[in-house]
Amino acid sequence: MKKITATCLLAAVALAAGAKTPEWLDPEVNAVNRAPMHSSYFAFESVEDSNGDKASSDNYVSLNGKWKFNWVADADKRPTDFWKVNYDDSSWGQINVPGMWELNGYGDPIYVNTGYAWRNHFKNNPPQVPEKDNHVGTYRKEIEIPADWKGKDVIAHFGSATSNISLWVNGKYVGYGEDSKLENEFDITPYIRPGQKNLITFQIFRWCDGTYLEDQDFFRFSGLARDSYLYARSKNRIQDIRVNADLTDDYRDGKLGVDIDVKGSGNITLELLNADNKVIKAETINNAKGNVKRTLDIPNPLKWSAEIPNLYTLRATFSKNGKTLEVIPVNVGFRKIEIKNSQLLVNGQPVLFKGADRHELDPDGGYVVSLDRMLQDIQLMKELNINAVRTSHYPNAPWFLQLCSEYGFYVIAEADIEGHGAAAQTGGMGFGLLEDILLFHVNFLRVVQGCGGGLLRLGGGPPIGKSLLNDIQALVAVTGLFQLQGNFLQFVQLAAGLAKCLFFGFRGRFRAFQAGFGRFRLCFPRGERLGGFLMLVIEGQLQLQQGELLLQILHFGLGGFGLFQ
């Protein structure tokens, strides 16, 4: 007789009673009160400070270090009132943040290629996951928040939490987030007391419903893998900044597109600096509000390629009433990436990828990979004449992508979607993961291809929900495979719509999509693979009601989906 797990019984009881499904088992929810994904940047308090590291900024408080820690082997044994200010945690142990539980005496590291670590005692049944062996880690720490942060927005940043995170501050529930390889950010302004110690508590599950989409072939660890910190922002500020550096006039001149979302209002000064820190182009936008766009024409800039990775810096200074509020530096490299006659071209020249798959894994730290270890990888690849990296199989830490810009690597960037362990059961569960990834990668200029997921096939079962349709803001393509005119978020919605058409009943829905948005030429090179990717190339021009979007080349890697096999 098959064993009926406690999870299934609890789910049945909850269903019968009409109880609310908890977030960690609800495929319709993968975030609560989480801030929208945005491009990777940090806002410094002055031009002088923007030349340094964010850790030295007055706008930054690290959450790394020792935390009070409680670990239970089974999810139903976890503490449920740990968030209370007067909770007694004197019997708890300690753990480092970042740090993986299994490498600090809590549980055992498990390597799995295909399938999930629960496979010996639980039958796949998405979105349900077992409570048995579903380890739960609970963290508590008091953090002093600077008094001069009063009047600013304060954001809590958790770089990578496996498999989810639920956050409380000073005894108040803040929010919830999934997706182990993207940041979770929460606005904690209403809950904090600047100038005092503030209690931050959070809880992480080893497995949640999103684990079905994270079946990567590597060691399975749990915990916090990247830096965690608090940062302060002005009430009036640049909310997001996206850059697209292109080449024109037969690859001679540069065209830098800047797309900025503004919260509140203020003046923005855009300055492009060369490697000698000399301003070569500047423009001021007065009384900026909402969404603003500018295009800077740069005569004959130095070009970026993996062989000669010339970089510029775009410095965006936000001011109001004559006072500088924030300064954001963004790396810029002028290059043009095209596909002509089935050949990938960089700056008009054919490129041969000599690439390597790279897991973000450290022999000592597990998922915690230091900057020094990343530099070792970079140096070794350069010594072996490798010029391309595939981030198998999830978004990497932003500082690794920054190193690829500086040292010269083409990057195949993947979404955190790999569900071959339950391929026939996950249905369309993961296709909404496309949005957040695109916004996260948008300014990383060396990304030449985005992969919407690996080894996730459609099966006979119905989709288990639209859970992640509002999460991953997408797939990394904006870094050069197409040029954008018009509203950036329109493209994100368009790409997500196309993905849904492709995966949720391809033929009928795509005809409707085609009729609604214009003409496309579709090319499905059956059997042609690059690094295990099945390529989908779409070329065409779209007319949107609220602006024109010129889509020269949209290039998705759809490896292992089984759609065309």
Side-chain angles (χ1 to χ4, degrees):
M1 180 180 294
K2 293 183 178 179
K3 181 178 179 181
I4 301 177
T5 66
T7 302
C8 295
L9 289 174
L10 288 173
V13 171
L15 216 63
K20 182 179 181 297
T21 304
E23 289 93 344
W24 59 283
L25 292 175
D26 190 347
E28 298 294 325
V29 176
N30 86 309
V32 177
N33 296 332
R34 184 173 67 185
M37 293 291 165
H38 56 80
S39 61
S40 183
Y41 67 86
F42 188 82
F44 294 85
E45 56 271 32
S46 68
V47 169
E48 293 74 23
D49 291 310
S50 70
N51 295 321
D53 181 75
K54 67 184 177 185
S56 61
S57 168
D58 290 340
N59 290 340
Y60 177 97
V61 170
S62 176
L63 296 180
N64 292 350
K66 295 285 187 182
W67 283 66
K68 296 286 286 186
F69 182 68
N70 173 273
W71 180 90
V72 297
D74 302 323
D76 59 350
K77 302 296 193 303
R78 69 190 185 277
T80 56
D81 56 352
F82 64 91
W83 47 269
K84 294 181 179 178
V85 174
N86 60 355
Y87 182 87
D88 182 8
D89 60 10
S90 59
S91 64
W92 288 19
Q94 289 188 326
I95 196 170
N96 275 319
V97 170
M100 312 318 299
W101 305 342
E102 295 82 358
L103 299 179
N104 286 275
Y106 301 99
D108 299 309
I110 296 176
Y111 174 84
V112 181
N113 181 5
T114 301
Y116 305 95
W118 61 60
R119 59 188 179 183
N120 290 328
H121 72 279
F122 181 79
K123 183 178 180 180
N124 292 340
N125 182 29
Q128 302 300 318
V129 297
E131 291 197 339
K132 181 182 183 297
D133 291 331
N134 189 358
H135 310 157
V136 178
T138 307
Y139 300 72
R140 285 171 59 94
K141 188 172 186 176
E142 286 188 325
I143 302 292
E144 185 164 351
I145 294 178
D148 59 5
W149 283 16
K150 186 176 182 179
K152 294 184 176 183
D153 289 340
V154 178
I155 313 298
H157 172 106
F158 299 92
S160 171
T162 304
S163 68
N164 61 4
I165 186 170
S166 300
L167 177 67
W168 285 258
V169 173
N170 291 327
K172 303 293 185 182
Y173 176 69
V174 176
Y176 172 84
E178 296 175 2
D179 195 319
S180 297
K181 297 299 183 180
L182 283 179
E183 63 194 37
N184 282 280
E185 292 192 335
F186 302 94
D187 185 347
I188 62 173
T189 311
Y191 312 102
I192 62 169
R193 298 185 296 268
Q196 302 179 39
K197 288 186 175 181
N198 293 257
L199 177 65
I200 298 179
T201 63
F202 57 90
Q203 198 166 69
I204 293 175
F205 283 66
R206 180 188 188 188
W207 303 318
C208 67
D209 60 330
T211 302
Y212 281 101
L213 300 177
E214 297 180 332
D215 186 28
Q216 286 89 353
D217 51 334
F218 64 167
F219 272 98
R220 311 299 172 92
F221 297 111
S222 306
L224 287 168
R226 299 174 188 161
D227 288 342
S228 297
Y229 52 88
L230 307 179
Y231 65 94
R233 300 293 311 271
S234 169
K235 297 288 186 182
N236 294 281
R237 62 177 182 261
I238 293 174
Q239 184 67 27
D240 202 0
I241 180 169
R242 299 170 289 270
V243 300
N244 182 28
D246 190 23
L247 295 177
T248 62
D249 302 320
D250 199 25
Y251 312 106
R252 185 189 64 190
D253 297 327
K255 189 177 291 290
L256 178 61
V258 185
D259 187 345
I260 298 174
D261 294 330
V262 177
K263 182 177 181 181
S265 63
N267 300 327
I268 301 173
T269 300
L270 300 175
E271 298 171 293
L272 188 67
L273 292 80
N274 62 18
D276 297 324
N277 211 35
K278 179 182 178 181
V279 176
I280 62 171
K281 189 79 171 184
E283 183 170 333
T284 299
I285 307 169
N286 292 316
N287 195 29
K289 299 179 181 179
N291 178 259
V292 294
K293 298 180 178 67
R294 288 295 184 272
T295 299
L296 307 181
D297 293 320
I298 311 299
N300 196 24
L302 298 175
K303 314 307 187 291
W304 186 96
S305 67
E307 293 75 23
I308 308 176
N310 293 304
L311 287 177
Y312 293 79
T313 300
L314 177 68
R315 188 168 65 199
T317 301
F318 192 89
S319 61
K320 193 174 180 70
N321 299 325
K323 179 182 179 182
T324 296
L325 299 180
E326 294 184 340
V327 180
I328 298 175
V330 180
N331 275 353
V332 172
F334 289 93
R335 79 283 176 269
K336 192 176 191 68
I337 300 174
E338 307 166 286
I339 297 176
K340 291 184 177 180
N341 299 320
S342 301
Q343 173 67 56
L344 179 70
L345 306 178
V346 177
N347 303 338
Q349 300 299 315
V351 170
L352 174 65
F353 279 1
K354 294 166 285 186
D357 288 359
R358 177 185 177 272
H359 265 299
E360 197 171 61
L361 200 68
D362 185 277
D364 300 316
Y367 299 163
V368 182
V369 184
S370 68
L371 182 62
D372 287 341
R373 189 75 79 179
M374 291 181 185
L375 282 168
Q376 285 183 342
D377 288 351
I378 293 288
Q379 180 178 348
L380 181 61
M381 288 188 289
K382 278 295 182 181
E383 289 174 353
L384 297 174
N385 292 317
I386 290 173
N387 67 356
V389 182
R390 176 190 178 202
T391 66
S392 53
H393 303 283
Y394 38 79
N396 277 203
W399 49 92
F400 177 74
L401 300 179
Q402 183 62 42
L403 291 175
C404 290
S405 280
E406 295 175 6
Y407 288 88
F409 286 92
Y410 304 114
V411 175
I412 312 298
E414 290 196 11
D416 186 21
I417 307 175
E418 186 160 341
H420 49 12
Q425 297 167 290
T426 50
M429 184 179 178
F431 296 110
L433 290 173
L434 298 182
E435 265 183 69
D436 287 352
I437 286 181
L438 181 51
L439 291 186
F440 171 77
H441 284 88
V442 64
N443 288 340
F444 290 120
L445 61 99
R446 88 293 316 162
V447 178
V448 296
Q449 177 184 328
C451 177
L455 303 173
L456 177 68
R457 294 189 295 273
L458 299 183
I464 69 172
K466 59 183 180 182
S467 65
L468 307 173
L469 285 178
N470 296 319
D471 184 27
I472 293 232
Q473 298 190 347
L475 204 99
V476 228
V478 93
T479 49
L481 288 173
F482 50 80
Q483 310 302 317
L484 289 174
Q485 296 175 357
N487 191 295
F488 174 77
L489 289 179
Q490 290 175 352
F491 166 74
V492 172
Q493 295 162 1
L494 180 66
L498 176 58
K500 283 185 281 187
C501 290
L502 289 172
F503 295 108
F504 296 117
F506 173 81
R507 296 181 182 276
R509 296 200 185 189
F510 183 74
R511 279 197 294 268
F513 177 87
Q514 184 182 39
F517 289 100
R519 295 183 300 169
F520 279 93
R521 180 167 65 83
L522 284 145
C523 174
F524 301 104
R526 181 186 297 270
E528 291 187 15
R529 292 176 178 271
L530 174 62
F533 296 149
L534 187 64
M535 315 300 280
L536 165 63
V537 179
I538 305 170
E539 300 180 65
Q541 181 169 321
L542 309 180
Q543 299 293 330
L544 301 181
Q545 290 182 352
Q546 298 180 353
E548 179 179 295
L549 173 65
L550 177 59
L551 189 58
Q552 288 186 343
I553 301 177
L554 172 60
H555 187 180
F556 287 127
L558 299 175
F561 278 103
L563 291 173
F564 310 105
Q565 296 176 358

